[in-house]
Amino acid sequence: NDLKLFLENPEKDAAEVKNIFTSRYSFTDSTTFLLLNPTRQKIISELYRLRKIVGPNDNLLIFYAGHGIWDKDAKQGYWWAKDASRDDPSTWLSNSDLREQIRGIKSAHTLLISDACFSGGIFRTRGGEDLMNASKDIQVLYKMPSRRAITSGTLTVVPDNSVFLEYFLKRLRENQAPFISSQQLFDSFRSAVINNSNVVPQDGVIAETGDEGGDFIFILKAR
């Protein structure tokens, strides 16, 4: 392992994200999987496992916090997992690999949230029964398949103490709307991140993965 790649906060951040999803929103402990400090192989294996168990009536959210890098010559972004070596690209997890795995997961909606340096490289282009009670615009978004991402930045370095994650979690805690799309959620904290950091978060479609214009809907648990 490359000790220079060590980050202090991602494990804590991932656990906090899981906690708020399962306590306030329609995520369950039994279907929420936490990979702490995984290797590249473990991430790929888990995505492949999801291809076997996620079906067209399911929704999938993938959260990643950690290192990333942009290879300007290859025009490719990468995640650096636990076993990454900065001098050996065979140990890096490319955006192309991620897109292939996401394309193979036949969910109704897949949302990737990435809090990592150079995470904007995932974009090639910018861009339940309870839902019967949602507004028409939410229902329309839910009917159409989606493959979207929210990232903490463009092709830039982001800090370990993440302003992006701070405001992302703040909005999730404060939200009182029973249904909120990922784009609405993003719009609610984007300006706060820009105003309090040098980071410009991104939201858009993951190209060539099966998106048809829908969106991932966060459903608040009934109190």
Side-chain angles (χ1 to χ4, degrees), residues 10-201:
E11 292 189 7
K12 176 177 65 68
D13 293 343
E16 191 169 0
V17 168
K18 177 184 177 181
N19 179 62
I20 196 167
F21 282 164
T22 55
S23 63
R24 292 207 78 216
Y25 294 87
S26 60
F27 296 77
T28 62
D29 280 312
S30 62
T31 58
T32 304
F33 311 107
L34 194 59
L35 303 182
L36 296 179
N37 206 18
T39 62
R40 179 188 184 279
Q41 181 180 12
K42 180 62 177 175
I43 295 173
I44 291 290
S45 296
E46 184 67 12
L47 291 171
Y48 186 75
R49 186 181 73 85
L50 291 173
R51 289 172 58 181
K52 303 299 184 183
I53 64 175
V54 173
N57 295 320
D58 298 321
N59 300 314
L60 174 64
L61 187 146
I62 302 167
F63 173 81
Y64 173 79
H67 270 297
I69 187 174
W70 175 255
D71 184 331
K72 65 179 184 300
D73 295 325
K75 294 181 171 58
Q76 181 71 263
Y78 297 86
W79 285 356
W80 277 351
K82 174 183 178 180
D83 55 339
S85 170
R86 65 174 66 224
D87 298 318
D88 183 2
S90 69
T91 64
W92 308 349
L93 179 58
S94 73
N95 287 166
S96 294
D97 290 333
L98 290 169
R99 278 192 290 263
E100 287 177 6
Q101 293 301 319
I102 289 171
R103 184 164 55 238
I105 298 172
K106 305 304 182 185
S107 62
H109 303 278
T110 293
L111 175 64
L112 170 65
I113 301 174
S114 180
D115 187 13
C117 296
F118 307 100
S119 51
I122 191 69
F123 301 115
R124 285 187 180 174
T125 60
R126 288 299 316 282
E129 295 175 359
D130 289 343
L131 282 160
M132 295 299 294
N133 300 318
S135 60
K136 185 176 180 180
D137 60 328
I138 292 291
Q139 291 189 39
V140 169
L141 286 173
Y142 193 76
K143 285 180 180 178
M144 298 180 292
S146 67
R147 303 290 184 270
R148 299 185 64 85
I150 293 174
T151 71
S152 56
T154 52
L155 303 183
T156 56
V157 175
V158 298
D160 188 18
N161 292 312
S162 174
V163 174
F164 168 86
L165 190 68
E166 175 187 346
Y167 285 103
F168 171 68
L169 291 173
K170 186 173 188 287
R171 295 296 184 261
L172 284 172
R173 291 191 193 98
E174 294 175 346
N175 170 53
Q176 297 300 319
F179 310 99
I180 182 170
S181 70
S182 75
Q183 197 162 12
Q184 289 172 327
L185 177 64
F186 174 80
D187 290 342
S188 74
F189 71 85
R190 177 180 182 270
S191 293
V193 175
I194 294 172
N195 292 340
N196 292 280
S197 71
N198 61 352
V199 168
V200 181

